[in-house]
Amino acid sequence: MPHWIEPHPTGIYVRPADAWIDPSVPQERALVTHGHADHARGGHGHVWATRETLAIMALRYGTASGTAVSYGEEIRMNGVTISYVPAGHVLGSAQILLSHAGERIVVTGDYKRRPDPTCKAFEPVPCDIFVTEATFGLPVFRHPDTGSEVDRLLAALHANPERCILVGAYALGKAQRLICELRARGHQDPIHIHGALERMCALYEQFGVPLGDLRPATGLPAGEMRGRIILSPPSALNDRWSRRLPDPITAMASGWMRVRQRARQRNVELPLVISDHADWDELTDTIREVAPAETWITHGREEALLHWCMTHQMRARALALVGREDEDEG
Ligand SMILES: [Zn+2]
Ligand SMILES: [Zn+2]
């Protein structure tokens, strides 16, 4: 007999609610965990998401029909009770907790366990089925302490007062988190941002995340950019516009910077391993803590985590969802 939630290549279908979780194709009824493009698509009939996620989707796709769900609020859809629980990934990110027929299922979306000043911390919820992401689901992925990575960035900045540091950072989440981490470590100088980051930074500030003195990255004399940190989306790192900067040191903030080859591909001199996803230890610790009867693994490197569950006598299966990786998002 098919289960009441069904993994499909295009998302997870919650049959009794007739709704899809993070569908990758337009659906009539979509429950969206967070605003990243591989989870939040445009074109749905109606979206249920946190207020922040709806605002992010409106910014990216234009205003659509949506219902804002607060963390902890319970909504009911035809015998399914649904609530959104903080996932600690980006502003507004949520795990979706579904209860039906005496069974509790948590779909994490993306998550991490490390402190992030820009969003609410992940809350483990005991459940029967835990559907976890596995972006960094290999034992080789162990993210270093975030503070020490930010210190390396500041040390490079201070050691090169004639240069500037151009940091590639994903426009939703990573950029704002990095700015907050820099501020928390006493860096109050203006930070310059590429035009593609402006609206998302403004949205974070509207939702109460102060980012300090942000200035445009273009249209200023090169002299003014010396000794400054400049943020751009990863895709713009090696673009034309950066040639106007004064002798930039190219950096990138991503969990993927653990892989030297990925840093080399983008000509990154200063790889910063700062991730918005759980690393291997966070994934396995979280599965232990949630202690579900069954773990469903998706969104990344499923095999190693599946094997880990098996060797720890935990029931698990790998789901094959399509279009679930955005390598810049790491
Ligand atoms: Zn994400
Ligand atoms: Zn994702």
Side-chain angles (χ1 to χ4, degrees), residues 38-39 110 277 299 329:
D38 54 330
H39 300 259
D110 295 337
H277 293 270
H299 199 69
E329 193 207 296

Side-chain angles (χ1 to χ4, degrees), residues 66-110:
T67 300
V69 184
S70 306
Y71 291 123
E73 181 191 346
E74 286 193 341
I75 55 173
R76 283 185 179 76
M77 282 184 197
N78 202 18
V80 186
T81 303
I82 300 167
S83 60
Y84 286 53
V85 179
H89 176 56
V90 296
L91 180 73
S93 64
Q95 312 170 68
I96 298 180
L97 167 63
L98 309 141
S99 308
H100 175 70
E103 193 170 44
R104 283 154 65 88
I105 298 177
V106 169
V107 179
T108 64
D110 295 337

Side-chain angles (χ1 to χ4, degrees), residues 65-197:
S65 164
T67 300
V69 184
S70 306
Y71 291 123
E73 181 191 346
E74 286 193 341
I75 55 173
R76 283 185 179 76
M77 282 184 197
N78 202 18
V80 186
T81 303
I82 300 167
S83 60
Y84 286 53
V85 179
H89 176 56
V90 296
L91 180 73
S93 64
Q95 312 170 68
I96 298 180
L97 167 63
L98 309 141
S99 308
H100 175 70
E103 193 170 44
R104 283 154 65 88
I105 298 177
V106 169
V107 179
T108 64
D110 295 337
Y111 69 98
K112 70 173 175 295
R113 304 301 304 269
R114 289 160 199 249
D116 178 339
T118 70
C119 64
K120 281 192 187 294
F122 179 97
E123 290 173 19
V125 179
C127 57
D128 301 293
I129 298 178
F130 185 59
V131 185
T132 181
E133 66 135 320
T135 303
F136 291 111
L138 285 174
V140 67
F141 290 114
R142 290 193 158 94
H143 307 323
D145 172 64
T146 307
S148 59
E149 294 299 281
V150 176
D151 286 343
R152 290 203 301 119
L153 169 58
L154 287 171
L157 182 73
H158 298 143
N160 296 280
E162 294 302 308
R163 302 180 71 183
C164 64
I165 303 193
L166 172 60
V167 189
Y170 198 76
L172 167 53
K174 191 65 59 63
Q176 297 79 19
R177 179 180 173 211
L178 182 57
I179 293 167
C180 284
E181 297 283 2
L182 285 162
R183 299 309 188 201
R185 295 182 106 69
H187 185 77
Q188 301 307 329
D189 288 0
I191 293 175
H192 296 267
I193 56 172
H194 185 281
L197 303 179

